[in-house]
Amino acid sequence: MMTYDGFDFSRYMIVNDIGRPLMPPQVIQSMEITGRHGAYFLEKRHAPIVLPVEVTLHEDLNMSYMEMKRYIAGNLNKKEPKKLIFEDEPDMSIHAIITDNTEIDDLLKAGTTTLHFYCPDPFYYAIEDEVFTFNGEGSYDFTRAKGNEESEPLIEIQGMNSGGVITLKTDHSEINFEGALNSGETLVFDSHFMTAYVLQVDGTKRSANNDIDSLDFPILAVGANNVTVSTENASVSTIRIYARSRWI
């Protein structure tokens, strides 16, 4: 079974094989210096992946085979990557979009093809994610039980600030916020998009990027983590951490 952008394809096709790599392609950046052996390692990152999914289309009783092919094509055609879920891993999803050719080998009222899903973000994300909630400022330990890779969390802080400082500190980062935070508003740090904003009472967002002193956004490890929120002439009532747990 395969679900794409909320549409269950099990009624129209059988998934025969999924070409999932053990890891995404690894991109290594290094620097060579004339006269020295080897190279200096700079960084490693995960490249996008392509998932080949071999499927068999079978006729549906409510439409002809050709009508069904058009119907399937319409549900696969997206303008941007959407959530893709496979039956053997129902607790995680990856964002994907169809790429390459999708020619079908037809045999009577059935056909086989390989769908190539391009995944610009090579991570699988937990469908039911871990959320950690703490009351008031302080230092808090918590454990990420899901995923096998560092995650880029979304952290919400509710409180008030007018001329003071709210400090968010994790094991490897620290950000100071000096902007205004009114009653009922929520300060948000989004590590995935490397942005900070204030969610206002009416639901609109107000950028807070100019009110923070660092773009070193928090990263959560698999397992044990710590977050510390402190204030100076400000107050904090609630801290909520959406882990965005993920797997390679």
Side-chain angles (χ1 to χ4, degrees):
M1 186 270 286
M2 180 183 77
T3 301
Y4 183 52
D5 193 23
F7 183 82
D8 183 358
F9 284 86
S10 59
R11 178 175 172 178
Y12 310 99
M13 65 174 63
I14 299 171
V15 176
N16 302 318
D17 186 59
I18 306 168
R20 282 171 286 205
L22 180 63
M23 296 176 63
Q26 303 295 285
V27 178
I28 304 295
Q29 290 190 343
S30 60
M31 180 177 64
E32 296 184 4
I33 297 179
T34 303
R36 296 184 65 91
H37 298 290
Y40 284 103
F41 172 82
L42 298 177
E43 68 171 1
K44 184 200 79 167
R45 60 183 177 85
H46 301 304
I49 61 174
V50 175
L51 301 178
V53 181
E54 181 185 310
V55 300
T56 298
L57 282 60
H58 54 81
E59 188 178 32
D60 183 79
L61 295 177
N62 296 322
M63 62 182 78
S64 71
Y65 179 59
M66 292 305 299
E67 288 175 332
M68 185 195 69
K69 287 170 61 174
R70 300 296 183 193
Y71 182 67
I72 289 174
N75 283 282
L76 288 172
N77 183 33
K78 306 297 177 183
K79 294 183 179 179
E80 60 185 11
K82 299 293 184 180
K83 282 186 179 181
L84 177 63
I85 304 171
F86 297 113
E87 183 179 29
D88 58 350
E89 292 184 306
D91 59 340
M92 63 183 72
S93 67
I94 189 168
H95 280 75
I97 190 168
I98 289 287
T99 186
D100 212 345
N101 297 323
T102 54
E103 296 181 3
I104 297 178
D105 295 326
D106 291 318
L107 180 62
L108 296 178
K109 296 182 179 180
T112 61
T113 188
T114 298
L115 305 174
H116 295 89
F117 286 98
Y118 174 71
C119 308
D121 183 347
F123 299 104
Y124 294 81
Y125 289 86
I127 293 176
E128 294 186 6
D129 200 6
E130 298 170 298
V131 181
F132 306 93
T133 302
F134 309 103
N135 295 319
E137 62 180 281
S139 180
Y140 301 99
D141 295 318
F142 60 98
T143 301
R144 260 192 61 209
K146 295 184 177 183
N148 66 356
E149 170 75 5
E150 292 180 335
S151 71
E152 300 168 333
L154 184 143
I155 300 177
E156 297 180 343
I157 298 176
Q158 293 177 322
M160 296 183 65
N161 184 41
S162 179
V165 181
I166 297 176
T167 300
L168 170 65
K169 184 177 181 181
T170 61
D171 294 320
H172 304 290
S173 68
E174 180 176 327
I175 300 179
N176 294 292
F177 169 76
E178 299 181 352
L181 185 64
N182 302 315
S183 177
E185 295 184 333
T186 303
L187 172 62
V188 180
F189 296 98
D190 190 332
S191 295
H192 181 74
F193 292 105
M194 297 185 66
T195 187
Y197 58 88
V198 172
L199 185 61
Q200 302 177 114
V201 177
D202 62 1
T204 59
K205 298 178 181 179
R206 182 177 74 245
S207 176
N209 288 336
N210 292 330
D211 299 318
I212 58 177
D213 65 347
S214 172
L215 292 178
D216 187 17
F217 283 82
I219 297 295
L220 300 184
V222 179
N225 290 271
N226 176 270
V227 62
T228 300
V229 175
S230 58
T231 64
E232 181 179 335
N233 297 322
S235 64
V236 168
S237 58
T238 305
I239 306 161
R240 185 168 290 108
I241 302 172
Y242 298 87
R244 286 179 171 158
S245 300
R246 61 188 185 179
W247 293 260
I248 57 172

